[in-house]
């Protein structure tokens, strides 16, 4: 509740949240090597995981799923560093967050309890809760002496919270937290791993529709733990959930109004042109931010032209 530690990639969801005003989970980001200047010094982020997509362009969802450093920094620059900082202000982090490119990778310290509270906004439909350790105080006869009042505040829409949750579900099902599938927990889990430079801090923040927990692993003196968030923090989180099955209903996250599903081309991220797109996929969008351009890689066919071409092919073949 007091310690300040770098969150690493556990901070990335706030970069992606900032981008939802303009981009979508299907939007393409640059995965190319790029150098940025920080206080006059060059800084070149590198992708850490071996299984990170090596394509030069990746979708926003894929970048978060694989915890792709280059694409996340590219996203922060596209959104605007000042806008990212401004977006984090309502989350009430007590530690300063400055508009440097490295903020995209969790370079600025946070208090673990405050990070857990911030993730509750995604889990709770956009509501920022107030953490309480004491709800009320009573006397020997049960009379109420003092009572804490819950202060809650809406920071984002239920639709935005759901899209973030859906992308964080993908992190668990197919990304850096996919090891969680081996624990056979009931129902879906959304979450994000985090690992800082030299393995100094290991994180996992995970939640179901019922409960959220944050696990941080590290040494007070900053010695490396020599393990990633997926290896050190995630198993502790899973063991905790296994120990409290009464708090996990197994229910799924409910899609609120304001979210729509569309078929997009997996290659371009734009609206699928039907049968001409070889690998269409379903993606979710804010209803007022749906791509309106058809996939240029696989344009829709003209049925009349197809008929005429077929007739020509028939007669040409008959000779």
């Amino acid at each position: 509740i007091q310690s300040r530690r770098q969150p690493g990639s556990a901070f990335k969801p706030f970069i992606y949240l900032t981008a939802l005003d303009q981009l979508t989970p299907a939007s393409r980001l640059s995965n190319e090597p790029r150098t940025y200047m920080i206080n006059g010094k060059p800084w070149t982020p590198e992708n850490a995981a071996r299984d990170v997509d090596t394509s030069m362009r990746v979708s926003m969802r894929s970048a978060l799923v694989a915890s792709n450093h280059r694409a996340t920094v590219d996203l922060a620059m596209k959104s605007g560093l000042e806008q990212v900082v401004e977006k984090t202000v309502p989350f009430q982090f007590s530690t300063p967050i400055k508009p440097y490119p490295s903020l995209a990778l969790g370079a600025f310290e946070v208090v673990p309890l405050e990070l857990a509270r911030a993730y509750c906004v995604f889990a709770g439909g956009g509501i920022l809760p107030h953490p309480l350790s004491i709800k009320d105080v009573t006397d020997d006869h049960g009379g109420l002496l003092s009572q804490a009042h819950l202060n809650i505040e809406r920071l984002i829409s239920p639709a935005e919270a759901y899209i973030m949750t859906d992308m964080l579900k993908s992190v668990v099902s197919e990304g850096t937290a996919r090891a969680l599938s081996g624990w056979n927990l009931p129902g879906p889990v959304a979450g994000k791993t985090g690992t800082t430079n030299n393995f100094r801090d290991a994180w996992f923040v995970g939640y179901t529709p019922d409960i959220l927990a944050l696990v941080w692993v590290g040494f007070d003196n900053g010695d490396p733990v020599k393990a990633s968030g997926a290896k050190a923090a995630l198993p502790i989180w899973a063991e905790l959930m296994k120990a409290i099955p009464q708090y996990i209903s197994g229910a799924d996250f409910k899609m609120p109004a304001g979210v729509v599903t569309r078929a997009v081309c997996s290659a371009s991220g734009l609206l699928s042109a039907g049968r001409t797109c070889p690998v269409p996929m379903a993606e979710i969008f804010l209803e007022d931010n749906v791509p309106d351009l058809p996939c240029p890689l696989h344009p829709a066919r003209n049925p009349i032209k197809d008929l005429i071409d077929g007739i020509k092919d028939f007669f040409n073949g008959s000779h």
Side-chain angles (χ1 to χ4, degrees):
I1 61 173
Q2 294 177 328
S3 177
R4 300 183 176 192
R5 309 292 294 214
Q6 288 184 332
S9 293
F11 191 78
K12 286 179 179 176
F14 302 98
I15 310 300
Y16 288 75
L17 172 64
T18 305
L20 286 184
D21 293 338
Q22 299 176 336
L23 305 179
T24 74
S27 297
R28 267 30 187 185
L29 307 175
S30 172
N31 192 27
E32 299 180 13
R34 188 169 299 178
T35 299
Y36 304 89
M37 299 302 295
I38 301 179
N39 292 330
K41 297 181 180 180
W43 175 66
T44 305
E46 296 293 343
N47 293 327
R50 294 180 180 178
D51 56 352
V52 163
D53 193 337
T54 57
S55 304
M56 289 298 97
R57 296 189 68 78
V58 296
S59 72
M60 198 163 94
R61 180 185 290 272
S62 296
L64 183 59
V65 165
S67 204
N68 189 306
H69 293 347
R70 293 176 183 169
T72 303
V73 176
D74 177 63
L75 179 60
M77 300 302 289
K78 278 184 168 68
S79 301
L81 298 178
E82 294 286 354
Q83 284 70 26
V84 173
V85 173
E86 184 179 344
K87 192 72 172 183
T88 66
V89 170
F91 287 85
Q92 300 179 22
F93 291 106
S94 63
T95 50
I97 299 174
K98 299 180 180 180
Y100 296 153
S102 57
L103 75 83
L105 306 185
F108 292 96
E109 295 177 334
V110 298
V111 175
L113 180 61
E114 293 177 358
L115 184 61
R117 182 192 184 199
Y119 266 75
C120 284
V121 174
F122 306 140
I127 300 294
L128 179 71
H130 182 74
L132 287 177
S133 57
I134 299 176
K135 296 174 65 176
D136 50 54
V137 180
T138 61
D139 59 24
D140 293 343
H141 304 288
L144 185 64
L145 299 177
S146 177
Q147 185 176 35
H149 296 282
L150 291 174
N151 296 316
I152 61 174
E153 181 181 358
R154 174 168 298 284
L155 300 192
I156 61 177
S157 70
E160 291 173 310
Y162 181 82
I163 288 181
M164 290 303 307
T165 291
D166 194 70
M167 289 197 292
L168 291 172
K169 281 173 61 179
S170 294
V171 173
V172 173
S173 63
E174 56 190 278
T176 56
R178 60 187 178 275
L180 196 63
S181 61
W183 289 83
N184 298 318
L185 296 173
V189 176
K192 185 70 186 75
T193 56
T195 310
T196 56
N197 289 339
N198 300 319
F199 297 96
R200 178 177 179 266
D201 303 272
W203 303 78
F204 181 67
V205 193
Y207 59 93
T208 72
D210 312 291
I211 190 169
L212 180 145
L214 176 149
V215 174
W216 165 82
V217 179
F219 291 104
D220 289 342
N221 62 5
D223 284 348
V225 297
K226 300 182 180 179
S228 66
K231 296 290 186 180
L234 185 147
I236 298 174
W237 189 95
E239 288 181 1
L240 171 62
M241 294 300 117
K242 279 287 191 179
I244 52 172
Q246 67 272 25
Y247 290 102
I248 306 177
S249 67
D252 201 350
F253 298 95
K254 295 181 180 180
M255 181 184 291
V259 178
V260 297
T261 302
R262 294 288 186 270
V264 298
C265 174
S266 58
S268 67
L270 298 177
L271 294 179
S272 172
R275 289 178 296 177
T276 57
C277 277
V279 188
M281 58 179 289
E283 185 55 274
I284 60 172
F285 303 92
L286 296 174
E287 63 180 359
D288 57 355
N289 191 24
V290 179
D292 54 3
L293 295 176
C295 171
L297 304 178
H298 314 100
R301 294 172 180 167
N302 186 319
I304 297 178
K305 184 177 183 300
D306 286 348
L307 177 61
I308 294 174
D309 289 342
I311 295 173
K312 289 180 179 179
D313 292 341
F314 174 79
F315 284 107
N316 290 336
S318 65
H319 294 289

